[in-house]
């Protein structure tokens, strides 16, 4: 388990005229054992700074970090594996296997079982055939996998991953997603992700936290976010085509309705219920104008909509 208590990180910027920059501001957070927790935020929100404090690369200005109930110490680092900048986290001139052995040694966990464990990791990540290849000659997706292997070589119970799918193609992103789920659900690891990938967040996260300007502004499950931010917007799918006179009369009676053609045989009417109270009044209007509608559905907000609203992006 990870617990952050009133964590703040302030940087001093400038040479002559020094100014203080608050990267993380009084952050409180608990991540449960075996949970996949995603931290979402715009650039400069404090996501990477938070991860670096958790793994001990930088010290918080104030506040405390607890790992498995204990205040952060040297032994805490043994429990944590981190991928902070993807392929920049590994050595491109070394082979795939040499990178794993190198990181095992600097983490003081290299022993007689390491070669077999490293090879098993490479097989799990579909990298075994590339074990002797210099990392610099691999694709971006394979380099990201190598970085994950290096973080896992000490078999940590906690995994911190910064932007795991950044710059990857669809196939590589899908594979990384499957591995993240496997680490948590089958191997029992606690995982903290930072990402801009809304699709990844939606598909793998047990809970999501949204951070902006160093402050954690919302935490919850995706379903909770959607429920709280649901919109009174309905889509009416209509059959046939429509005349200009019909559109003018509809928009005159119900301002700000959106209408668009779906194909030659159907069109869509988008109804914002906050602007008028009675959906049945609109349906009766369509019926009186001999418009046949095939279905009605309530529009659900996606994670991107919610993120933009919370961070002031829309």
């Amino acid at each position: 388990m990870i617990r952050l208590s009133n964590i703040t990180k302030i940087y001093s910027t400038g040479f002559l005229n020094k100014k203080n920059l608050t990267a993380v501001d009084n952050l409180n957070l608990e991540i449960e054992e075996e949970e996949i927790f995603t931290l979402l935020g715009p650039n400069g929100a404090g996501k990477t700074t938070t991860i670096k404090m958790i793994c001990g690369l930088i010290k918080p200005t104030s506040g405390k970090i607890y790992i498995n109930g204990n205040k952060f110490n040297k032994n805490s680092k043994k429990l944590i594996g981190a991928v902070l900048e993807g392929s920049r986290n590994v050595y491109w001139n070394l082979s795939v296997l040499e990178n794993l052995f190198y990181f095992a040694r600097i983490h003081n966990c290299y022993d007689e079982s390491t070669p077999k464990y490293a090879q098993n990791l490479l097989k799990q990540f579909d990298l075994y055939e590339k074990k002797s290849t210099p990392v610099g000659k691999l694709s971006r997706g394979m380099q990201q996998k190598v970085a994950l292997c290096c973080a896992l070589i000490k078999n940590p119970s906690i995994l911190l991953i910064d932007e795991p799918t950044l710059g990857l193609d669809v196939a590589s992103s899908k594979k990384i997603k499957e591995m993240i789920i496997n680490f948590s659900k089958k191997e029992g690891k606690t995982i903290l992700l930072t990402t801009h990938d809304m699709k990844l967040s939606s598909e793998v996260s047990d809970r999501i936290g949204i951070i902006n300007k160093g402050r954690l502004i919302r935490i919850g499950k995706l379903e909770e976010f959607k429920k709280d931010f649901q919109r009174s917007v309905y889509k009416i799918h209509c059959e046939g085509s429509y005349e200009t006179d019909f559109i003018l009369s509809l928009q005159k009676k119900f301002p700000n309705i959106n209408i668009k053609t779906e194909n030659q045989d159907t069109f869509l009417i988008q109804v914002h219920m906050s602007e008028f109270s009675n959906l049945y009044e609109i349906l009766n209007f369509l019926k009186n104008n001999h418009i046949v509608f095939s279905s009605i559905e309530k529009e659900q907000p996606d994670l991107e909509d919610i993120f933009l609203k919370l961070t002031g992006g829309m």
Side-chain angles (χ1 to χ4, degrees):
M1 186 186 79
I2 303 168
R3 182 163 70 90
L4 310 182
S5 177
N6 303 114
I7 293 296
T8 295
K9 181 61 183 178
I10 300 173
Y11 292 103
S12 292
T13 62
F15 180 68
L16 295 176
N17 299 314
K18 288 191 174 182
K19 297 180 180 179
N20 289 334
L21 172 66
T22 302
V24 177
D25 189 2
N26 197 39
L27 191 150
N28 291 282
L29 174 64
E30 288 192 16
I31 301 173
E32 298 298 329
E33 191 174 346
E34 300 184 18
E35 180 179 22
I36 301 176
F37 188 95
T38 298
L39 199 58
L40 285 176
N43 290 332
K47 305 184 300 296
T48 301
T49 298
T50 299
I51 278 190
K52 287 182 176 180
M53 287 190 288
I54 293 173
C55 65
L57 286 179
I58 58 177
K59 291 184 178 180
T61 304
S62 62
K64 295 179 181 179
I65 298 173
Y66 298 88
I67 303 296
N68 291 347
N70 299 311
K71 189 176 177 182
F72 188 91
N73 55 57
K74 290 182 179 180
N75 290 328
S76 302
K77 293 182 179 181
K78 297 177 182 179
L79 304 174
I80 300 171
V83 181
L84 297 178
E85 296 179 9
S87 57
R88 293 171 60 186
N89 234 28
V90 293
Y91 292 91
W92 287 22
N93 291 329
L94 297 180
S95 72
V96 172
L97 196 57
E98 286 170 341
N99 264 281
L100 267 65
F101 289 166
Y102 172 77
F103 280 97
R105 287 190 172 94
I106 66 171
H107 291 311
N108 296 317
C109 64
Y110 190 99
D111 58 28
E112 60 183 14
S113 67
T114 299
K116 183 177 180 180
Y117 181 63
Q119 290 183 33
N120 287 337
L121 275 177
L122 296 182
K123 290 175 182 177
Q124 182 181 350
F125 280 77
D126 298 325
L127 288 170
Y128 187 75
E129 299 301 321
K130 302 289 185 180
K131 64 180 180 180
S132 300
T133 303
V135 172
K137 293 185 178 181
L138 299 177
S139 68
R140 179 69 183 268
M142 287 186 175
Q143 289 171 353
Q144 186 77 336
K145 290 179 184 179
V146 174
L148 280 165
C149 286
C150 291
L152 290 164
I153 192 63
K154 59 180 177 178
N155 196 20
S157 59
I158 296 170
L159 194 57
L160 312 177
I161 313 176
D162 191 20
E163 297 289 358
T165 58
L166 184 64
L168 301 188
D169 58 33
V170 174
S172 297
S173 296
K174 182 179 179 183
K175 185 66 176 178
I176 294 295
K177 180 198 77 173
E178 292 169 353
M179 289 175 174
I180 289 170
I181 294 172
N182 183 68
F183 295 149
S184 173
K185 307 311 174 190
K186 293 186 179 180
E187 299 184 19
K189 298 186 186 300
T190 303
I191 299 175
L192 170 60
L193 300 176
T194 71
T195 184
H196 288 89
D197 188 336
M198 301 293 171
K199 187 173 186 293
L200 176 70
S201 300
S202 300
E203 292 176 347
V204 307
S205 306
D206 294 309
R207 287 189 303 149
I208 296 167
I210 295 181
I211 187 172
N212 192 30
K213 298 179 181 178
R215 285 185 169 270
L216 192 60
I217 56 178
R218 189 70 181 257
I219 296 177
K221 295 181 178 180
L222 180 59
E223 294 77 14
E224 295 170 347
F225 278 101
K226 287 185 175 182
K227 182 179 179 181
D228 291 346
F229 286 84
Q230 63 183 350
R231 300 170 295 194
S232 295
V233 178
Y234 288 83
K235 291 180 178 179
I236 305 173
H237 297 270
C238 302
E239 298 179 358
S241 57
Y242 52 83
E243 301 294 333
T244 303
D245 289 344
F246 163 73
I247 296 300
L248 292 174
S249 60
L250 178 65
Q251 291 183 328
K252 183 178 180 180
K253 188 172 181 63
F254 306 109
N256 299 321
I257 273 183
N258 297 321
I259 303 173
K260 61 181 179 180
T261 301
E262 293 185 302
N263 54 53
Q264 291 183 344
D265 300 317
T266 63
F267 63 96
L268 175 69
I269 300 175
Q270 192 176 46
V271 181
H272 296 265
M273 291 302 292
S274 59
E275 295 163 6
F276 38 82
S277 58
N278 197 340
L279 179 62
Y280 293 103
E281 187 179 350
I282 300 165
L283 297 179
N284 283 331
F285 182 88
L286 297 178
K287 182 179 178 181
N288 292 336
N289 283 272
H290 309 293
I291 300 296
V292 178
F293 50 90
S294 57
S295 65
I296 304 172
E297 60 177 302
K298 187 171 185 180
E299 194 173 279
Q300 295 293 333
D302 59 21
L303 184 57
E304 184 174 358
D305 293 331
I306 296 166
F307 173 79
L308 290 172
K309 285 184 178 180
L310 285 171
T311 58
M314 64 183 299

